[in-house]
Amino acid sequence: MGFEMDFFKRVKFHSFGLWSIVITTIIILFFFNILFSYIFTAPSIVHPSLEGSSWSYKIESSDVGTSDGISVNKGGWSKLEEPINIVPKNTKAIIYYKTNLPAINVVDPHLFLQTNDQVFQIFVEGNLIYSFGDFNNFNYKHSPGAPPHLISLPEDYQNKELIIAMKSVSGKRLGLIRTIELDSKGNHFTRIFKMNIGTLILGCLNIVIGIACMFVGIGRKLGRKALFSLGLLFLIVGSWSIAENSLTQLFHVRPLFWFYIAIISLYLIPICVYKFILDISNTNKKVLNLLIHLHVILFGISFLLDLTGILAFINTMIFYYVLTGTSYMICVAIS
């Protein structure tokens, strides 16, 4: 018992400074990378790079319907170059992409498509073959998330006209396509598995470690609070990793469910970090408590704005990145 008490004293009073500087510096670099990526991303249409294809685009009022497949055949197309610095004044708009499908032979042909914050419809030769979200009654205040989509193509798809119509919760993100690939369904599954199995295992491992920390904490008196807050931190990070994973979303396509799990977890990560540091340290308690309260307030305000439909979660993320980056710098400075 004497050794255990001495160990926790050393952790609390001697190891805190160097340990917290290393950890928080890594997290600062991570979050500032995201922050600067968000700030310096050009407000442009992302080129939907389907190999061997050239694309055209047009932007129309959201009053134009697409479910009948008529409006997509109208004129007004422009050649798509990358990047295109176009942000429509009316963010409630529809963007159309058009190309001819490649003249390659694929068994069981499928398109793999992943976007962010978009609902969309896909047409081949003017016929609607796939729709995601309520396109004609789109809610601009709530993100539809970013689940991966496997879209079956007709067997005689070669050289046929492909049109993608999209709406977005954000004018800056309108038409954003993360990935679009043409391949057989089996090859898509294999590629998605290889790309995502590592992060999925890591996320599950974080969940297991988090639960283990909490169970160990139950049987202890000394260090119980620190073990519980550390366990909660692992659980939150694991939840975020699993919710962001394309493999889990592919087999459980509930976009709003995964979106809210991911974004709520992201908001809770710095709160858990500060709570853990607070539990292993007897210094700077007022500052750490203030940082926790600021993050809780921001999370509460953002959640209420999204819940009431005033402002979507995705549009408050810039404030989260600024506060998180600043608070981590403060944490390093006081360590």
Side-chain angles (χ1 to χ4, degrees), residues 225-241:
K225 290 174 63 178
L227 284 169
F228 266 89
S229 57
L230 180 62
L232 183 60
L233 177 58
F234 273 108
L235 284 174
I236 295 298
V237 173
S239 299
W240 175 81
S241 180

Side-chain angles (χ1 to χ4, degrees), residues 109-125:
H110 278 69
L111 281 179
F112 173 74
L113 179 67
Q114 192 164 18
T115 69
N116 279 86
D117 311 313
Q118 321 274 324
V119 297
F120 61 88
Q121 293 181 328
I122 294 183
F123 302 84
V124 173
E125 292 293 304

Side-chain angles (χ1 to χ4, degrees), residues 77 88 145 290 317:
W77 296 93
L290 176 61
M317 289 303 295

Side-chain angles (χ1 to χ4, degrees), residues 23-33 324-325 328-329 332:
I23 296 298
T24 52
T25 300
I26 293 172
I27 301 177
I28 284 172
L29 293 174
F30 170 73
F31 277 105
F32 263 85
N33 178 58
T324 301
Y328 275 124
M329 285 195 295
V332 171

